[in-house]
Structure formats: structure tokens, C-alpha cells
Amino acid sequence: MAAKRAERLVNLVIALLSTRQYVTAARIRATVPGYEADDGSERADEAFKRMFERDKAELREMGVPLETGRTSAFDTEDGYRIARADYELPEIRLTGEEAAAVGLALRLWESAQLAGAAHSALVKLKAAGIDVDSSRAIPLQPRLDAGEPAFEPCYAAARDRRRLEFGYQRPDEDTPSRRRVQPWGVVAWHGRWYLVGLDLDRGAERVFRLSRVVGTPKATGPAGAFEPPAGLDLAEVVAGQVSGEEQLVVVRARPGTAIGLRRHATPLGGGEDGDDRLQLRTTEPGRLADQLAAYGSDVLVEAPAELRDAVIARLTRLAAMGEPA
């Protein structure tokens, strides 16, 4: 399924889940991003009708309980809604590994352009007079992952299959180099975001860590200019190219704390003091020490000793900065 069509279907589902009323096709057209705008022409009307009929059929094929009806006896045309009781799954219990995967997917959703479009659809429905129950709405926040400012343009270029240009600062280089890439996709691996694609100047498959991208990447050329290799596994490509000796780290975290850390950790069970024991993997112990220090007394490093000493050193410096002169 094309990315734009998938976005439109997601927006449609969110809009119809968020109201108890039946929403007419005209209001759906005006409020859900992705449909042909109403410019008064017969061509635009026909294009919307065909697109909407395909979308309804696809949702029903996927098992979405799309209902047709009228909110009151005074309505002159049928509308559509999705009964949340029929749509929702029963209670789901996740293992620690599964919960970490869901957390990672949430980061992608929060960073992607999907969130902004879906949130916009809900706002438009409210403005159109549709009774949108905020407590029933899916809590989307249209925000960019502040830790990776290059995420959004890289994701958009990979989605639209457009060539990408950006500056890239490698640790072994004094100045950033200019890269021209066919972006195949963006993937998270061991707590980092990476861009995978074809380096046009080197004529080879390459992996780029987004935190090393300098400035704002620029998409050039037409959309649909290339296709990624068939059967491409982005995570496998990253795992095969990212260098650095991986280090295992064991920490203890107080229950209910360090939620962000847990997303990338493997649970090891509870400790004797009631804390949760977590295992982390890193190729950059210095950066991990900075992250762990930010949790203060909620997190304690068990091993290795070198990383524990590094965290203590950082906390000691912070404490000294806070002391009166």
C-alpha cells in the first residue's frame, strides 16, 4: 500500500473512531487530509467518490467495523462511523521485550508527519460541529523527536522516494562531508536512528546515523525517482555496517522510573532491594553515562565498574556546580 494512502486510511479511522455521530461523506472530504478538495468541478467530485469507495471497501476487508446510518430522523443522507466497542481489542499483556518494541514504534509515530495530519483531522471535525469525544480520541501529539532534528526530512524523503543531500560529520573527519543519497528508509537500532540508502557518490549501500547529520537534509528531484532493493531489511543492514565493540551494561532502576531507558533495555527481573534490574547494550559508553546521570538517584549502575565510575563523576561535577561559592 502506498504511504499516502496508508496515511489517509489512518486519518479516516481516527476521525470515525472519535465521534458517536454518523459523519457524512461531504464532511469527511472536508476534514480528513488526503482526499480530493472540493473545487466545484465534476472531475473532483468523481475522483473523491472513487477514492472514498475504495477506502471504505479496504477498511471493511481489513475487518474495521464501518457502520452506515443517520444520527437523527432529520438527516437527509447517510453517514459513517466506527463503533469503538466493536473495534477495540481485549486487554493486551506485553512482555518486557514487546513493550520496548511498542515504545519504539510510538517514538516513530510521534516523530512522523502522520501525527500532525491525524490531529488536524480531529480539530476540523470539531470545527464542523461533529461531537468529538476527547476522552475517546487517540492521544496524538504532532511533535518532532527533539533528539534527532534530521528525522523528519529523512523520513519524508524515504517515503516519497526522493534524492537526499546533507552534510555528515564522521568522528574521524575534521569537517562534514557532503552526501548525496537515495534514502531507502529510517530505522531505530539499539536506541539510535539510522538512515539506510544508496550513496550516489560512492555507488554503494551506506548507513548514516541521524545524530551525525549536520544541518537540515534537503530533498531534491521528483518523487518516485527510485525503488529500494526487494526484500530489504533495514535493521539487518545497520547491524552489518555499524562498527564499534558492543558493551553490556546492567543497571538497577526504581519501580516506575526511567521509562525512556526501559524502552531500550532487557528486563532481568527484580533485585533484592526491590529495584528492577535492566540490561542495556551500547557502543558509546560515554554517551550512555550522560543519559544515566540524568536519572539521578533513580538509576544505579551495577556493571561495568568503569561506567559506574563515569556516572558518579558526572553527578559529582553537577553537585559541585550547585554548591554556593
Side-chain angles (χ1 to χ4, degrees), residues 3-155:
K4 292 183 178 179
R5 186 177 185 186
E7 291 181 25
R8 187 177 68 249
L9 289 175
V10 170
N11 294 333
L12 179 59
V13 169
I14 292 173
L16 297 182
L17 270 175
S18 302
T19 178
R20 295 186 179 90
Q21 301 178 20
Y22 289 97
V23 185
T24 64
R27 282 189 170 174
I28 289 173
R29 180 182 187 179
T31 57
V32 176
Y35 285 113
E36 183 80 17
D38 186 1
D39 59 6
S41 68
E42 184 175 337
R43 183 204 62 80
D45 290 343
E46 287 300 319
F48 165 72
K49 290 177 182 178
R50 289 195 302 269
M51 185 181 296
F52 187 48
E53 288 300 320
R54 287 197 303 267
D55 288 350
K56 288 190 297 180
E58 183 149 0
L59 289 180
R60 286 171 171 143
E61 287 178 5
M62 291 188 293
V64 177
L66 184 63
E67 296 181 351
T68 303
R70 302 186 181 187
T71 303
S72 74
F74 300 100
D75 291 340
T76 58
E77 61 179 297
D78 288 340
Y80 306 88
R81 71 180 182 186
I82 298 174
R84 183 172 288 265
D86 297 332
Y87 181 80
E88 290 179 335
L89 294 172
E91 181 181 3
I92 299 175
R93 297 184 180 276
L94 302 177
T95 65
E97 292 80 1
E98 291 168 338
V102 171
L104 193 59
L106 178 61
R107 284 188 61 197
L108 175 60
W109 179 269
E110 289 173 342
S111 300
Q113 294 175 337
L114 301 178
H119 183 77
S120 174
L122 296 184
V123 172
K124 289 181 179 179
L125 281 173
K126 291 181 180 179
I130 302 298
D131 179 21
V132 177
D133 187 345
S134 299
S135 64
R136 293 155 54 91
I138 298 176
L140 299 180
Q141 295 295 327
R143 60 189 177 90
L144 183 67
D145 185 348
E148 303 294 2
F151 179 95
E152 185 105 0
C154 289
Y155 166 83

Side-chain angles (χ1 to χ4, degrees), residues 136-312:
R136 293 155 54 91
I138 298 176
L140 299 180
Q141 295 295 327
R143 60 189 177 90
L144 183 67
D145 185 348
E148 303 294 2
F151 179 95
E152 185 105 0
C154 289
Y155 166 83
R159 179 198 62 196
D160 297 337
R161 306 287 188 254
R162 298 182 66 193
R163 194 177 72 181
L164 197 62
E165 296 182 3
F166 54 87
Y168 193 68
Q169 180 69 64
R170 289 176 53 89
D172 56 351
E173 295 177 341
D174 295 330
T175 58
S177 59
R178 200 67 187 168
R179 301 300 183 94
R180 298 185 310 124
V181 176
Q182 286 184 355
W184 295 341
V186 178
V187 64
W189 190 78
H190 287 195
R192 303 281 191 185
W193 288 104
Y194 294 89
L195 172 69
V196 179
L198 175 66
D199 189 315
L200 296 174
D201 294 316
R202 293 157 180 79
E205 178 182 86
R206 288 290 187 270
V207 170
F208 304 93
R209 185 191 295 179
L210 294 194
S211 61
R212 293 176 179 167
V213 173
V214 179
T216 302
K218 179 182 179 181
T220 62
F226 59 89
E227 286 294 330
L232 175 68
D233 187 327
L234 297 176
E236 183 177 335
V237 174
V238 174
Q241 290 199 24
V242 173
S243 60
E245 184 177 351
E246 191 173 73
Q247 187 175 23
L248 294 180
V249 178
V250 178
V251 303
R252 295 206 311 265
R254 290 177 177 173
T257 66
I259 303 302
L261 193 66
R262 294 172 189 268
R263 291 178 179 173
H264 314 296
T266 301
L268 298 178
E272 295 180 358
D273 54 2
D275 288 346
D276 300 324
R277 300 180 71 246
L278 309 171
Q279 184 184 78
L280 301 163
R281 298 173 181 269
T282 183
T283 57
E284 293 183 292
R287 189 174 189 275
L288 180 58
D290 292 336
Q291 295 175 343
L292 295 175
Y295 291 105
S297 60
D298 288 333
V299 172
L300 174 66
V301 179
E302 282 191 4
E306 295 81 5
L307 184 62
R308 181 172 62 247
D309 293 341
V311 174
I312 293 174

